[in-house]
Amino acid sequence: MHSHVRPNAHIALRLPSGVLKLVEATPNTNINLGKFGTFNTNQIIGRPYRLTYEFLEQEDPKAQPELRVVPASELHAIALGSDHATPQESRDDDAATEGGVAFDIVGDNGEVIMRNNRLTVDDPSRQTLSMDEIEELKKAGSGSGKDIIEKIMASHLGIEEKTQYSLAKYTLRKSRKYLKRFTVLPLDIPLLTEYVTDKEAYRIMELRDESLGLICSWANIHSGSTSRVLMGEDGTSQIGGGRWLLVDDTGGLVTAALAERMGILYPHEEEDTSDSEGEEEQDAPADTEQENVQNGTTAAAAATTPATTATPDTTAQDTPMPDASLDILGVTAPDATNGTSTETPRQRRQPRPHIPQSSAQTNTLTILHPNNQPNLSHLKYFGFDAGDPKPGHPLYTHLKSLSWLQLLDPTSDPTYIEPELIPEETLATMKSSKRGTYYRKRRRWERTKRVIDETRAGGFDGLVVASSMEPVTILKECVPLVKGGGQVVVYSQNSEPLVQLCDYYSKERRTAFIARQFGPQHNGRTRGNPIDLSEEDELAEEGDEEEDFPVNPTLLLAPSLQTARAREWQVLPERTHPFMTSKGGAEGFLFTATRVLPVEGKVEARGIRGGKKRKISAEVSVEA
Amino acid sequence: MAPTVSPFLDPSTHASVNSLGVLQLKRDHLIPAVLSDSASSDYAEGNVVNTRFGSFTHSSLINKPWGTQILASVVDTGSRSGRSKKRKREANGDADAAGEVGAGAEETAKSVLKAATASSGFAHLVPPTPETWTLCLPHRTQVVYTPDYSFIIQKTRLRPGDHIVEAGAGSGSFTHAVARTVFNGSPGSEGNEEEQPEANGTTTRKRKRRQKRYGHVYSFEYHKPRAEQLREEIISHGLDPMVTITNRDVYADGFCLDDDDAPNADVIFLDLPAPWLALKHLTRSPPPPAVVKSVASDPSTPNAEASSSTLQPAPAAKPFRSPLNPKSTARICTFSPCIEQVQKTVAAMRSYGWLDIEMYTMEHKRLGVRRERIGLAEEGLRGANPSPATVQEAVQRLRDVEDRAKVFHGLQKEKQEQVMRRAEAKKRGEKVSARHDEEKEKEEKKKKLEGLPPSKHDRLERAKKESVKRPLFKEGRLVCRTESEIKTHTSYLVFAVLPVEWTTEDEAKARKKWG
């Protein structure tokens, strides 16, 4: 995956300054990197990711700029400082004889062996080039920017006085500013996280890599493509099947992260063998060009109906996971053929069988959203538009969404009500547009009903929450939908909502909850429960019930709270230390717990030893 | 026959026989057990997990839905049918110590007794996950814990279908975690499903029958017994179709396996004492000897002599084969506790052309949430601070003490005076009805004490009595703090990537294709 830059893929470009730029690699278009220059996408399409390119110097400024791949040794040379330019880095020895001392060491012949910063003068006038002159240079230079840096360095009066390290730092700083390079990166979750964090961290609840990693691990996210949906104890409920329930207020970032771990995020498998790859790609440009003609603009191409954007890649329609959706194909095929014919009136292509949306049985994500439509804007970078999903994308079948209203009170949602069934004969006499509307309505209802019924049946493998809503209200509704042994993970920027949540599942509250359930006759034996509650008292307490026990505290085991932060270090010869500055902001906390099935009736936990020990063990046992 | 699916990947609905289950007693106290229904154990009730909250028979766990709260059973732990056998087992039974409780091998004819429920406690039966396994695995070496491995998986972009090489398998926590991540089915498990698309004749005429790439973990361990133990573990966990364990010294012998193109790795994880010595095997083309020598000849490097000498003949003997997947960016992570290791590793990475080298440390902490109750009402109660909660309370307490003291002093004085009076009267020869006096005194004392603030004894008594009625679960201030034990340093994590090799011919070809 992500081996080569595919046409029309979303990619990221890292500029020397460290800034990321997200672009779509549409063939035959120019990408403008501002002061760094402009290049054509065809110069990077088909090449591997992670290469760094440099603009080559050119005689004619009007000519198509040429790019050069910068070798690794050259890339490292900048960071290491001029001395370390060679690939061998065993100069540590030289540095050891030379460095490590903070004084000027003057050799016998008066030659300075090692400098320190005693003589450093902090004065801008030491750079003899004026601002205008540098601007002049920038305009004149058409190449890699190395010449500018050289000139600037040459014009610095104090360059000789700089220590080896400060010189390296100075060069690095100038390189970041003037080098005309960029690196092509695949747009994946860590990169998208970094990009959004730099721009508008609040939109993704200030999630960092480490938090996302923890979420995926604790929620036990993995591919459930071969999992089975099994019958529950009662013979009706469903359990497992690699289905996760999700509440996502990060614009789809968490959804994408989970989908990546489940193998349903990327539109197509990129595992072509090299032979077939060549063959396949040979006709690719032709196809796209043709398409450009058809649709006028290239940008519109991606968003139009599935049938028209039939590049070889999408026609391949290779959902990497075999999904059970295909079972349903047989059932819905007749109306589907009609449906697609109305959908694509322009082209008389072979009607493609209709694959119902959100129809996968296993390896699915179900999203609960507060508005009518889920906000999954970040999924657009992965070729999935929630408003107009393409059937070729794995998320088309594996992503399901429903609103809170649909979950809690489906009958008040109009899409849940079955549209009138029109017999075939009547249908045949109808106008094709009307017939199309009819089928569309039918299908929407089928999809909505299927998703709602499935979700309400529960048995999910896990619950992941990253929401600005009060977590306790979410868990009240969602925890019962998780299967026994399933994981519950709640992310929040701040600790307070999760601390409160932990308290609602605390062992003391659980003990009190159980005591209240079983009434006064057992009271003497449990610690810390109200005794002597007469019947009336108990009725009076009912009112508090909701307030004291907004959630059933016996449903979650071992609720715990954690936070993690990765600290980045600079590793350079003789200069290894943590970075001096990094991003602050939300710490990011994670609540984790396991859904359990409490036994019916009263449970005692006395421990097996007598005396004092007994007391302690009784307590910890409840804690468990 | 359908291959059995690992309980780590698809745990089904119930705990089943001969499959791993985990008993969770406390948050960090979990006991793994391969459930067995054979009656071969020493107990009449069959195999038993003994804990401080009682004994749990395997028969009470088998076929229970995951997540069920299990009550302890009454097991006669005193009179085992074969005491000597048990002792013998303890003597040579490492497997038992390793937590696979009651894996008695001998099959006997007796049937398993049904045990009665004990009131000693309960536990929860939870399905195994890499996280629960990390908490209860038998430690052989340093464990890579959840915060570290989750970050590594995230940073190395490990995905379903990837191949990962792990060197230094150690305790196997990382092995389990990445096996879960790369899992995307196994060759046998979906043969029939794969045929369906064709049967339905979906859309694509030109679709090629592509070999689906299944995720795989190639694990290398230098230490033979550890490798063996891990192999057994992996098999008993049903992960063997997707985890290959090799006992090998990767510094000397590299990562390539005898299969055609294994490991064909996308991601590499090195948990080795000297990762820089293994890097020479992780290249796309034979590394220039000068570079290899410069990395290995670092005077402070242990084994430098040995490994460089073993290296020399190797290329001659075998044609070079890269263990990396030629079609994907290779991602590497090394896990080293010391900064010196990091410096050497990073230097070697630069020499071998790795890019985007980054180093991180992970700071992870767990927070304890509790209710902090402060106040005089908490006197004598457990888990609370009985000092005054407010200035007012403090003042009131001081007043009370003063008041009591005053009365007591008064009483004492009176008593003394009375004694004096009596003595005087005795001296004078008068006879006083002592009993009458005493009763009167008691009465008086009682009266005086009545209006007084309660004594400490009374207070404690009262606090205890009232505490039973108080909803302690919602009293006090809700606080959270870092737990008392934190891992302040696990290891330094170095990340880097090695792009796909790109030659001038490739470039010319791409240029021709794309213009």
Side-chain angles (χ1 to χ4, degrees), chain B residues 265-333:
Chain B
D266 304 287
V267 177
I268 299 110
F269 175 69
L270 301 179
D271 183 3
L272 299 168
W276 59 95
L277 292 179
L279 284 177
K280 59 174 175 280
H281 300 293
L282 295 165
T283 54
R284 296 196 184 274
S285 48
V291 177
V292 176
K293 214 168 163 206
S294 83
V295 169
S297 66
D298 191 327
S300 55
T301 302
N303 310 327
E305 295 292 307
S307 63
S308 58
S309 62
T310 47
L311 175 91
Q312 248 58 54
K318 257 189 276 177
F320 175 83
R321 182 154 67 92
S322 172
L324 306 176
N325 180 357
K327 278 185 236 122
S328 79
T329 307
R331 293 88 78 189
I332 196 172
C333 172

Side-chain angles (χ1 to χ4, degrees), chain A residues 7-9 24-31 40-42 45 292 298-299:
Chain A
N8 297 315
E24 209 178 327
T26 316
N28 306 316
T29 52
N30 282 334
I31 292 176
N40 195 286
T41 45
N42 291 3
I45 292 174
N292 292 352
T298 48

Side-chain angles (χ1 to χ4, degrees), chain A residues 1-3 7 42 45-50 66 72 75-76 80 87-89 188-190 209-210 212-214 217-218 220 222-223 225-228 230-231 233 239 260-263 266 269 276 280-281 283 315-318 320 322 326-327 352 483-485 499-500 502-503 508-509 512 529-531 548-549 557-558 560-569 571-572 576 589 596-599 603-609 617 619-621 624, chain B residues 8-14 24-27 51-54 65-69 71 119-122 124 126-127 129-131 146-147 149-151 153-155 157 159-160 180-181 183-185 189-190 193 196 200 202-204 206-208 210 212-213 294 327-329 339 342-343 346-347 350-351 353-367 369 371 382 468 473-474 478 480 492 497 499-500 502 507 510-511 513-515:
Chain A
M1 194 157 293
H2 281 153
S3 57
N42 291 3
I45 292 174
R47 277 74 159 179
Y49 277 109
R50 300 249 169 209
E66 284 290 304
L75 292 174
H76 289 310
L80 290 171
Q88 295 188 41
E89 214 192 297
D188 50 25
I189 302 296
D209 272 347
E210 52 270 36
L212 272 176
L214 278 175
S217 284
W218 279 106
N220 196 17
H222 60 269
S223 163
S225 56
T226 55
S227 298
R228 310 142 284 174
L230 296 161
M231 213 63 101
E233 281 273 84
I239 285 174
E260 185 180 45
R261 293 290 180 90
M262 294 161 69
Y266 298 103
E269 201 110 319
S276 69
E280 204 176 343
E281 284 183 354
D283 49 5
T315 10
Q317 206 189 34
D318 192 8
L326 296 156
D327 291 332
R352 63 167 68 206
K483 71 171 185 180
V499 167
Q500 204 183 20
C502 282
D503 184 56
E508 289 85 1
R509 205 175 285 263
N529 55 358
I531 54 162
D548 283 352
F549 307 103
L557 174 69
S560 39
L561 192 54
Q562 57 183 315
T563 175
R565 188 176 267 275
R567 187 169 194 196
E568 194 176 358
W569 289 54
V571 185
L572 289 172
T576 300
F589 294 85
V596 289
L597 316 168
V599 290
V603 177
E604 276 183 291
R606 286 194 282 108
I608 47 172
R609 266 157 263 181
S617 51
E619 201 174 304
V620 277
S621 158
Chain B
F8 279 86
L9 301 169
D10 187 6
S12 166
T13 55
H14 298 76
Q24 185 157 19
L25 299 162
K26 286 159 61 175
R27 196 174 66 188
T51 74
R52 58 192 290 208
F53 303 115
W66 293 115
T68 308
Q69 192 175 25
L71 302 179
S119 61
S120 57
F122 59 83
H124 286 91
V126 295
T129 65
E131 286 68 43
T146 306
Y149 72 63
S150 64
F151 185 59
I153 292 171
Q154 192 72 12
K155 282 294 276 188
R157 282 103 166 142
R159 305 184 181 116
R180 168 184 65 186
T181 307
F183 171 76
N184 63 341
S189 66
E190 47 190 333
E193 281 169 81
Q196 274 175 8
N200 283 299
T202 27
T203 58
T204 52
K206 61 192 276 189
R207 188 218 309 246
K208 274 161 245 123
R210 254 185 232 150
K212 181 175 176 184
R213 192 170 188 238
S294 83
K327 278 185 236 122
S328 79
T329 307
I339 197 83
V342 169
Q343 285 165 338
V346 171
R350 290 204 177 104
S351 306
W354 291 83
L355 294 173
D356 286 355
I357 302 173
E358 292 177 317
M359 196 260 267
Y360 289 90
T361 49
M362 205 55 197
E363 286 156 30
H364 176 256
K365 45 194 182 180
R366 294 201 309 187
L367 304 169
V369 175
R371 288 197 167 258
R382 288 192 39 185
V468 188
F473 65 87
K474 57 173 177 177
L478 192 56
C480 78
Y492 294 106
V497 299
V500 171
W502 193 242
E507 176 62 31
R511 200 164 291 202
K513 195 188 288 177
W514 297 103

Side-chain angles (χ1 to χ4, degrees), chain A residues 238-249:
Chain A
Q238 39 165 4
I239 285 174
R243 299 176 303 126
W244 279 270
L245 188 60
L246 178 61
V247 184
D248 181 3
D249 281 352

